[in-house]
Amino acid sequence: MSTPEELSIQMAHQSAIRSMQRIVEQQAQPHPNAEARAGVQAQLDRGNVLVMTGAGVSTDSGIPDYRGPNGSLQRHRPMTYQEFKYRPEARQRYWARGFVGWRHMFRAEPNAIHHRLVRWEEEGRISGIITQNVDGLHQQAGSKTVIPVHGDLSIVRCLDCGKSEDRQHFDDRLQELNVGYLEAVDVDPSAINPDGDVELPQYLVDRFVMGNCLYCGSLALKPDVVYFGESVPAERKEQIARLEESSDSLLVLGSSLAVMSGYKILLNFVKRGLPVSLVTNGHVRGEQKATWRWRVPLDQALSQLH
C-alpha cells in the first residue's frame, strides 16, 4: 500500500500531466485586423506596457513551440518534476538526451521579435518582459528587464545541496566523461524539444555517463527551470508581482497561457480593469477577457507596429 507521501507525489504528477495536456480552444472571435492593430499600437504609444512572451516568440530562432500544430507536444511529453526528482532512471534519460539537444539550443540566436522588444524597452514603450521561455534569448538580444518565470536552461542546480553551476561549464565536464558520445548520435535539429532534449535510443541513454555535483557529489542535478508539477519560486513570484503593479497594460505575444503561471497574470490585469492585448496565431486561455485579440503570425504583426 502506498504511503501518504507516495500518494501525494502521484497526485502531483497526475495534475502536472493534465496541465501539459490542456488543449486551448477558441473562446472568442479575433478582432478585425485593422482594429486590433490600432488597439495594440495605441497601447504601445501610451507606454509602460508589460509584455509576456511564450514559445511563439522563439520559433523563428529555430526553437519549436509546445502547443502549436507542429509543436513538440505532438511527439513528446515533457518530464514532470516528480519523475525527475524521484526516479534516477528518468534523470539519466533526461541528461543523456539533454547533453545532445542542449547544444543545438545554445547555438540559437535572437530573432527580429527579440530585437524589436529591445527597441521598445529603450524607447520606454514597455516596462519589461515576463517570459515563459527558458532559452535566454531576450537577455541575449539586450533586453534589460526580463523575468524568466520558468527559469533558465543555462544554469544547473543540485537538488540535494542547492548549489548551482553554469551549464556550459557542466557541459564541458560531461564531454570529458563522454568522449566520442556526440559523434555516435545522428540528430535532426528539428526534433529538438523546447526544454533542450531530444529522443535517443535506450542503448545510448544507458551508455551516457552522468557528472556529479561539484559541491556535494550528488548525481541529482537539474536544469534550473520550472518543470510541470513544480512551483515557481516565491522570490520570482514577488518580482513578477512588482512588475505587474508598476505597469499600465499587458501585451501577450506568442503564448496560449495554458499554464496557470501565465494565465494568472492575465487575470490580474483584467481584475485591475487594465487593457490586455493578445497577439498570437492560435487560441489563448481566457481570450474572451482581452481588450484586443489579434490572431496573426507574430512577425507579420510586429512588421505593422512601430
Side-chain angles (χ1 to χ4, degrees):
M1 181 175 292
S2 299
T3 67
E5 181 183 13
E6 290 170 338
L7 288 173
S8 177
I9 292 170
Q10 183 61 25
M11 289 175 63
H13 168 71
Q14 293 300 329
S15 177
I17 297 293
R18 289 193 296 272
S19 177
M20 71 177 68
Q21 292 178 339
R22 179 178 290 114
I23 297 174
V24 179
E25 298 178 336
Q26 179 168 298
Q27 299 164 311
Q29 291 289 334
H31 292 92
N33 183 75
E35 291 182 20
R37 186 204 63 77
V40 175
Q41 185 64 65
Q43 184 180 358
L44 288 166
D45 290 344
R46 287 191 295 270
N48 204 35
V49 180
L50 174 59
V51 175
M52 181 160 57
T53 66
V57 165
S58 291
T59 54
D60 284 353
S61 294
I63 299 174
D65 64 8
Y66 273 113
R67 289 182 168 80
N70 299 312
S72 66
L73 283 179
Q74 304 296 324
R75 64 177 187 273
H76 163 75
R77 175 179 73 75
M79 194 176 299
T80 70
Y81 176 69
Q82 289 70 32
E83 288 173 307
F84 195 98
K85 183 174 182 179
Y86 298 105
R87 292 177 53 196
E89 71 278 11
R91 288 199 299 272
Q92 170 78 9
R93 185 171 72 251
Y94 171 81
W95 280 113
R97 292 162 24 159
F99 178 58
V100 176
W102 172 77
R103 64 199 62 255
H104 291 273
M105 284 193 64
F106 185 68
R107 288 196 289 264
E109 296 184 352
N111 60 53
I113 299 170
H114 297 104
H115 292 299
R116 174 64 66 90
L117 291 174
V118 173
R119 196 185 85 192
W120 283 350
E121 183 179 33
E122 292 172 345
E123 294 171 348
R125 293 174 179 268
I126 68 175
S127 58
I129 300 168
I130 295 173
T131 184
Q132 296 174 306
N133 301 335
V134 297
D135 51 41
L137 292 179
H138 285 301
Q139 299 91 320
Q140 187 178 333
S143 290
K144 299 294 191 295
T145 303
V146 182
I147 302 176
V149 62
H150 293 152
D152 189 337
L153 270 178
S154 69
I155 300 171
V156 176
R157 192 170 299 279
C158 178
L159 291 175
D160 288 332
C161 73
K163 297 289 182 63
S164 64
E165 180 181 2
D166 178 78
R167 180 70 175 262
Q168 182 61 66
H169 185 269
F170 182 58
D171 186 72
D172 291 342
R173 295 201 292 123
L174 290 180
Q175 290 191 59
E176 292 177 359
L177 293 169
N178 293 276
V179 176
Y181 191 92
L182 294 172
E183 290 75 10
V185 181
D186 183 21
V187 177
D188 176 2
S190 66
I192 305 297
N193 297 311
D195 47 3
D197 71 354
V198 64
E199 297 294 333
L200 289 178
Q202 188 61 43
Y203 80 91
L204 283 175
V205 172
D206 296 338
R207 172 181 161 184
F208 178 74
V209 179
M210 179 58 180
N212 57 9
C213 174
L214 289 172
Y215 303 93
C216 72
S218 172
L219 293 175
L221 299 176
K222 174 179 171 291
D224 196 20
V225 299
V226 177
Y227 277 40
F228 285 97
E230 184 179 9
S231 297
V232 175
E235 181 181 356
R236 200 172 302 156
K237 288 181 180 179
E238 293 170 3
Q239 292 175 338
I240 291 170
R242 288 194 295 269
L243 189 53
E244 285 184 49
E245 286 296 323
S246 65
S247 303
D248 295 330
S249 66
L250 176 67
L251 173 61
V252 179
L253 301 178
S255 174
S256 66
L257 302 185
V259 296
M260 195 63 193
S261 57
Y263 182 50
K264 184 175 184 294
I265 295 172
L266 177 146
L267 295 178
N268 289 342
F269 274 83
V270 170
K271 185 177 180 179
R272 293 168 62 195
L274 296 176
V276 173
S277 293
L278 311 175
V279 183
T280 178
N281 205 24
H283 303 305
V284 181
R285 187 179 181 187
E287 60 188 16
Q288 74 277 15
K289 304 175 187 294
T291 313
W292 296 107
R293 294 177 293 276
W294 194 6
R295 199 166 296 155
V296 63
L298 281 182
D299 58 342
Q300 294 181 28
L302 267 66
S303 70
Q304 299 177 56
L305 297 168
H306 57 79

